[in-house]
Amino acid sequence: MRSADLPEVRSIHLFQDMEEATFDAILKAAYFQTFPDHVDLIQEGDPADFLYVVVEGCVELFATSNDRETTMAMVPPIGTFILAATLKDAAYLMSARTCQRSRILMIPSEDIRAALKKDKAFAAAIIWELASCYRAVVKEHKSLKLRTGVERLANRLLRYHNDQGRNGSLLLPHDKRTLASLLGMAPENLSRAFNTLKPFGVKVDGARIHLDNLPALETLAKPNALIDDRTI
Amino acid sequence: MRSADLPEVRSIHLFQDMEEATFDAILKAAYFQTFPDHVDLIQEGDPADFLYVVVEGCVELFATSNDRETTMAMVPPIGTFILAATLKDAAYLMSARTCQRSRILMIPSEDIRAALKKDKAFAAAIIWELASCYRAVVKEHKSLKLRTGVERLANRLLRYHNDQGRNGSLLLPHDKRTLASLLGMAPENLSRAFNTLKPFGVKVDGARIHLDNLPALETLAKPNALIDDRTI
DNA sequence: AGGGGTAATTGATCAAAATCAACAGTGCGG
DNA sequence: CCGCACTGTTGATTTTGATCAATTACCCCT
């Protein structure tokens, strides 16, 4: 892999506390590859041979059943995916595809499992990461069960707005089809949900969204730290 | 705690491989208490002071937002809950209440965290447990996003039927209101969903359900191992 | 600049699910 | 035994969201 990426990979939570020797061993076993846009990386049901790290680009995790498909999560750099399947040596529950040209680090699952047995700090980091992933899905699940589509969109906009500096405007990080699927609605309904939010100061200009009446939007959204705050 | 319960607690996956000394230390720090029916054990947002183990009875995990409430999971004996919050020393994302008279083991979170630092086997068990919990929520989430209410019910019935010996009949483990909330639907819609399933051989007699046409039900349900099989 | 393809929007319609209201069945306590 | 509370069921209605169809807007490409 490019040596310039090394410190970045090392700096993510999962790897930062591990011993130098463990990190070296893992990197030695790993593959580093660049994929074009829209390439399938893994398919749900397949055995979890690798842990994936997105170094550049972006990866969509999605799931399928009954000819229906839904986006489960988007993984930006530097992020890992399907840690749980890797650790349990089980089948992937989600499929993954690139949604941009992406540089991906692939670490054989058995090397991950070997490393965590040897390296206490790595085991601790994995526990932390798994607990965080678990809580993230629980929050998603709560959102879907407790909120309407419009409310989910409103809160998602507030989240992006926070992430991007709270300056009254935000850029959607994914295209609207993907956002719709992520929020659990049809693309058409996302359009309509944006219209519903217009009286609450939400102006849409392509991927650029302006929030002109934050108090009104927050009144409608009723954001809840135990759903929307990803830091807890 | 009653010495008769000890082997049972010890036998669950989370505790079975840990060192004797670690188990003793944890038990010494733990509280063991019996609660009546319908007692609130924890409230979402509270700091995770304890890891809970249901030894007898049953506990409902639920979440709230906007004056709405939904059942997230039911924890039968012998099961633990809110492990992730305990490990991250974070706020609970879910509330818990007994739904029967229940005997509960409460282990201070700091003792859990101390134990996993000392005991490698315990750390490994926690990783396994967390990965399993994560995958369980992912499956729930997939079910909710990819299936209609009737489909979720059909698959849930097939699951209970499998658990209870595949003999053409099953007993609902919870009351119908709870089941409805668990499946993400209103109680009225659960009733109607049962009616929808009548032509597929589903006969309802209180909590006793008869499945008289398994092939037909399976055709409708389209069970999917990556959603419905809790063993993978 | 023109053309082709994709994403997004809009409208119309349909299906799914929530809500409101009423009522039957059950179990409990007086 | 009766009334009361609770669960579950049914019907009517509304809301929400999905689907189908058509159109528009926007890129990208040469």
Side-chain angles (χ1 to χ4, degrees):
Chain A
M1 79 189 285
R2 267 187 5 193
S3 59
D5 300 317
L6 230 145
E8 267 196 301
V9 172
R10 183 70 154 117
S11 76
I12 68 171
H13 178 269
L14 196 56
F15 299 127
Q16 67 188 352
D17 291 332
M18 79 195 322
E19 291 164 21
E20 200 60 41
T22 321
F23 189 64
D24 288 347
I26 277 182
L27 276 198
K28 208 163 287 172
Y31 305 86
F32 194 57
Q33 221 171 323
T34 300
F35 297 94
D37 192 6
H38 273 276
V39 169
D40 286 322
L41 298 173
I42 62 174
Q43 188 161 9
E44 57 179 289
D46 286 351
D49 295 327
F50 295 95
L51 173 70
Y52 288 76
V53 185
V54 183
V55 175
E56 204 181 295
C58 191
V59 169
E60 175 186 5
L61 301 183
F62 63 101
T64 316
S65 197
N66 291 13
D67 302 314
R68 280 165 272 197
E69 181 184 311
T70 189
T71 302
M72 299 288 286
M74 305 298 291
V75 187
I78 308 262
T80 67
F81 58 93
I82 36 186
L83 179 59
T86 289
L87 293 169
K88 289 194 74 172
D89 196 12
Y92 296 125
L93 294 180
M94 298 184 272
S95 304
R97 66 166 81 97
T98 57
C99 50
Q100 297 170 25
R101 175 184 162 83
S102 301
R103 300 200 299 132
I104 310 270
L105 184 66
M106 298 163 60
I107 309 169
S109 299
E110 45 194 314
D111 293 291
I112 293 288
R113 291 192 296 269
L116 84 88
K117 268 190 198 124
K118 279 186 217 140
D119 189 331
K120 260 187 156 170
F122 185 41
I126 280 182
I127 286 175
W128 188 270
E129 179 81 5
L130 273 178
S132 303
C133 289
Y134 170 78
R135 287 167 63 89
V137 197
V138 167
K139 288 172 197 167
E140 277 299 309
H141 200 60
K142 285 173 66 173
S143 177
L144 195 60
K145 286 186 92 174
L146 292 167
R147 289 173 169 164
T148 65
V150 172
E151 289 169 342
R152 293 197 297 279
L153 173 60
N155 282 293
R156 181 63 64 131
L157 293 179
L158 290 172
R159 177 202 292 191
Y160 292 150
H161 184 241
N162 282 342
D163 294 348
Q164 298 176 24
R166 295 176 151 280
N167 62 351
S169 145
L170 62 99
L171 212 54
L172 297 177
H174 321 292
D175 60 35
K176 290 183 183 150
R177 256 160 39 95
T178 307
L179 180 61
S181 184
L182 205 48
L183 293 174
M185 57 175 88
E188 296 94 325
N189 289 333
L190 178 64
S191 268
R192 287 185 256 264
F194 271 119
N195 283 330
T196 307
L197 292 180
K198 210 177 275 177
F200 298 86
V202 176
K203 276 216 278 285
V204 180
D205 174 22
R208 169 66 58 186
I209 312 291
H210 296 274
L211 306 184
D212 295 342
N213 189 347
L214 221 44
L217 186 59
E218 277 170 348
T219 303
L220 173 121
K222 291 181 218 57
N224 179 327
L226 298 176
I227 298 179
D228 303 295
D229 187 342
R230 278 151 315 137
T231 66
I232 62 173
Chain B
M1 81 190 279
R2 267 187 6 195
S3 58
D5 300 317
L6 229 145
E8 267 195 303
V9 173
R10 183 71 154 119
S11 75
I12 68 172
H13 178 269
L14 196 56
F15 299 127
Q16 68 189 351
D17 290 332
M18 80 196 321
E19 292 164 21
E20 200 60 39
T22 322
F23 189 64
D24 288 347
I26 277 183
L27 277 197
K28 208 162 288 171
Y31 303 86
F32 194 57
Q33 220 171 321
T34 300
F35 296 94
D37 192 6
H38 273 275
V39 169
D40 286 322
L41 299 173
I42 61 174
Q43 188 163 9
E44 55 179 291
D46 286 351
D49 295 328
F50 295 95
L51 172 71
Y52 287 75
V53 185
V54 183
V55 176
E56 204 181 294
C58 192
V59 169
E60 176 187 4
L61 300 183
F62 63 100
T64 316
S65 198
N66 291 15
D67 303 314
R68 281 165 271 196
E69 181 184 312
T70 189
T71 302
M72 299 288 287
M74 304 299 291
V75 187
I78 307 261
T80 68
F81 59 94
I82 37 185
L83 179 58
T86 289
L87 293 169
K88 290 194 73 172
D89 196 11
Y92 297 126
L93 294 180
M94 298 183 273
S95 303
R97 66 166 80 97
T98 57
C99 51
Q100 297 170 24
R101 176 186 162 83
S102 301
R103 300 200 301 133
I104 311 271
L105 184 65
M106 298 163 61
I107 308 170
S109 299
E110 46 193 313
D111 292 291
I112 293 289
R113 291 192 297 268
L116 84 88
K117 269 190 198 124
K118 280 188 217 139
D119 189 331
K120 261 187 155 170
F122 186 41
I126 280 182
I127 287 175
W128 188 269
E129 179 81 5
L130 272 178
S132 303
C133 289
Y134 170 79
R135 287 166 64 87
V137 197
V138 167
K139 288 172 197 166
E140 277 299 309
H141 200 60
K142 285 173 65 172
S143 177
L144 196 59
K145 285 186 94 174
L146 292 167
R147 288 174 169 164
T148 66
V150 172
E151 288 169 341
R152 293 197 297 280
L153 173 60
N155 282 293
R156 181 64 64 131
L157 293 179
L158 290 172
R159 177 202 293 191
Y160 292 149
H161 184 242
N162 281 343
D163 294 347
Q164 297 176 24
R166 296 177 150 280
N167 62 352
S169 145
L170 62 98
L171 212 53
L172 297 178
H174 321 292
D175 60 35
K176 289 182 184 150
R177 255 160 40 97
T178 307
L179 179 61
S181 184
L182 206 48
L183 293 174
M185 58 175 87
E188 295 94 324
N189 290 332
L190 178 64
S191 267
R192 286 185 257 265
F194 271 119
N195 284 331
T196 307
L197 292 180
K198 210 177 274 177
F200 298 86
V202 176
K203 276 216 277 285
V204 180
D205 174 22
R208 168 67 58 187
I209 312 291
H210 296 273
L211 305 185
D212 295 342
N213 190 346
L214 221 44
L217 187 60
E218 277 169 348
T219 304
L220 172 119
K222 291 181 218 56
N224 178 327
L226 298 176
I227 298 179
D228 304 295
D229 188 341
R230 278 151 316 138
T231 67
I232 61 172

